Amino acid sequence: MNPIYQEFYNDEEVAGAVNSLKEKGVDQDNIYVVTHDDDRTERLADNADANTIGLDEQNFGTAAKNVFRKKGDELRAKFDEVGFTKEKADELEGKLDEGKVIVVVKDAPAGMEI
């Protein structure tokens, strides 16, 4: 199963999307919120009852390297760790640069949309 995602601009839409995914039967452990700002990511994840891409989702080598990486490189590595290709990770990181919020479903069932 591949990850899927959707972009959002506002926090209320993120919370609504996460709730909708849970109503569709998506396990909360597979729903992630990603922004370019760590504080905003944590706040949105807490408010929507979703996850952030943290140490549990990253292998040890990636987590250790992220300590020394620039923010964009760190975010691309996180997207890679949840199953996106390098090219898609680059694209998604660019969307975060625009101020968007990305909601990711890891191991999404075939045909599922956010």
Side-chain angles (χ1 to χ4, degrees), residues 8-49:
F8 297 93
Y9 277 109
N10 95 28
D11 298 4
E12 291 80 26
E13 290 176 338
V14 171
V18 170
N19 286 331
S20 175
L21 288 165
K22 290 177 188 175
E23 289 171 1
K24 293 177 183 177
V26 176
D27 186 337
Q28 177 181 340
D29 292 341
N30 288 332
I31 304 172
Y32 299 90
V33 176
V34 186
T35 74
H36 211 287
D37 176 81
D38 292 337
D39 291 333
R40 184 176 185 203
T41 299
E42 287 293 330
R43 187 182 74 250
L44 279 170
D46 287 344
N47 290 341
D49 203 18

Side-chain angles (χ1 to χ4, degrees), residues 2-4 26 29-32 57 81-83 104-108:
N2 293 323
I4 60 172
V26 176
D29 292 341
N30 288 332
I31 304 172
Y32 299 90
E57 293 74 32
E81 288 292 324
V82 294
V104 175
V105 176
K106 182 179 176 184
D107 299 326

